[in-house]
Amino acid sequence: MTRPVAMITGGNRGIGASIATSLAARGYRLALGVRQPDKLPDAIAALDPLVVPYNAEDPVAARAFVDAVHERFGRIDVLVNNAGISDPLELMPDQRVNDEDMEATLDRLLAINIKAPFRLTRAALPHLCKVGQGRVIVLASLSGKRVLGLNAGYQMTKHAAVALSHAARRAGWDAGVRACAICPSFVATDMTLRHDLPREEITQPEDLGRLVAEIVSLPNSASVSELVVNWRYEPGL
């Protein structure tokens, strides 16, 4: 039996690495799109992935990544749009919607958090349709379901990321493609280091790895369109 293939952006650390590890344990062959292929952690290299240079801001990177995966494996079963940023210019505090210079960050947030996964989903969709059970995972955020903090640009792009997942789900539905927007609150990654949080209590990258592996393994008859993941109680979430 041919082993399925999973493409993951940003699969060399944090949430992406945990997803890669969980899918490898389920028998998936891995294709990782990363900015620095020569700096792959030993634990991820041991999974024997195809590693492709991938810069989310490069408009041609998506097509090149998909072509490289299809050339190597001849199929694509799962696409995980994981790569993303929160504070592109490392500005503190978070920029509010009424800040005059917010557009300096918004363009880059849109390029990486929305345009890049859109291009990748568009390029991979024909291959996902061919396998009859293609899966698309979009790492969105709980900031894509409600607005709690003040990082307006990030919140806007994560709302759009949820919409992208639903659009992919609709476009590929008749061909057996199912898509899910994963919407976690704070996760113990480098992205949340600047927040004063109980690191052992918040959601761990490994938690999301397990959840993604379960979702992509569900049959077409049990589609999960959105998954809200929270480490603390919020009314309605």
Side-chain angles (χ1 to χ4, degrees), residues 55-68:
N55 179 354
E57 295 180 271
D58 183 353
V60 303
R63 182 68 62 182
F65 186 17
V66 169
D67 288 348

Side-chain angles (χ1 to χ4, degrees), residues 138-142 144-145 162 181-185 226-230:
V138 178
L139 259 295
S141 168
L142 210 52
K145 300 299 296 177
V162 173
I182 309 293
C183 302
S185 181
E226 296 181 11
L227 183 65
V228 171
V229 183
N230 210 341

Side-chain angles (χ1 to χ4, degrees), residues 134-137 165-166 168-169 177-181 223-226:
R135 299 290 182 262
V136 178
I137 297 292
S165 181
H166 281 281
R169 184 170 182 260
V177 175
R178 302 294 182 261
C180 181
S223 175
V224 177
S225 61
E226 296 181 11

Side-chain angles (χ1 to χ4, degrees), residues 55-216:
N55 179 354
E57 295 180 271
D58 183 353
V60 303
R63 182 68 62 182
F65 186 17
V66 169
D67 288 348
V69 176
H70 190 259
E71 182 179 353
R72 169 68 68 87
F73 299 114
R75 62 186 293 154
I76 299 171
D77 298 83
V78 175
L79 168 63
V80 180
N81 287 303
N82 167 70
I85 56 174
S86 172
D87 187 19
L89 299 182
E90 298 183 355
L91 298 172
M92 307 282 182
D94 294 330
Q95 289 194 298
R96 308 181 186 207
V97 71
N98 57 327
D99 287 347
E100 289 294 332
D101 60 348
M102 183 182 152
E103 288 194 39
T105 66
L106 184 57
D107 285 345
R108 190 158 186 248
L109 282 163
L110 289 168
I112 294 176
N113 291 356
I114 297 303
K115 285 190 174 182
F118 163 72
R119 293 187 185 109
L120 202 53
T121 302
R122 179 177 59 186
L125 194 58
H127 303 293
L128 294 165
C129 288
K130 287 180 181 178
V131 298
Q133 290 186 314
R135 299 290 182 262
V136 178
I137 297 292
V138 178
L139 259 295
S141 168
L142 210 52
S143 289
K145 300 299 296 177
R146 51 90 170 109
V147 172
L148 188 61
L150 296 171
N151 197 347
Y154 179 77
Q155 293 156 353
M156 288 189 287
T157 61
K158 289 305 181 179
H159 273 75
V162 173
L164 170 61
S165 181
H166 281 281
R169 184 170 182 260
R170 180 66 188 92
W173 185 269
D174 292 342
V177 175
R178 302 294 182 261
C180 181
I182 309 293
C183 302
S185 181
F186 290 109
V187 183
T189 65
D190 292 346
M191 188 180 289
T192 58
L193 284 174
R194 66 187 176 94
H195 298 278
D196 184 17
L197 297 166
R199 303 295 291 179
E200 300 302 318
E201 296 180 21
I202 64 177
T203 301
Q204 302 298 306
E206 294 79 11
D207 301 333
L208 297 181
R210 291 173 58 191
L211 289 170
V212 169
E214 289 294 335
I215 288 171
V216 301

Side-chain angles (χ1 to χ4, degrees), residues 30-65:
L30 302 177
L32 308 182
V34 300
R35 285 184 296 174
Q36 297 177 305
D38 59 331
K39 294 185 178 180
L40 207 65
D42 291 343
I44 300 301
L47 302 176
D48 192 29
L50 168 65
V51 182
V52 179
Y54 177 76
N55 179 354
E57 295 180 271
D58 183 353
V60 303
R63 182 68 62 182
F65 186 17

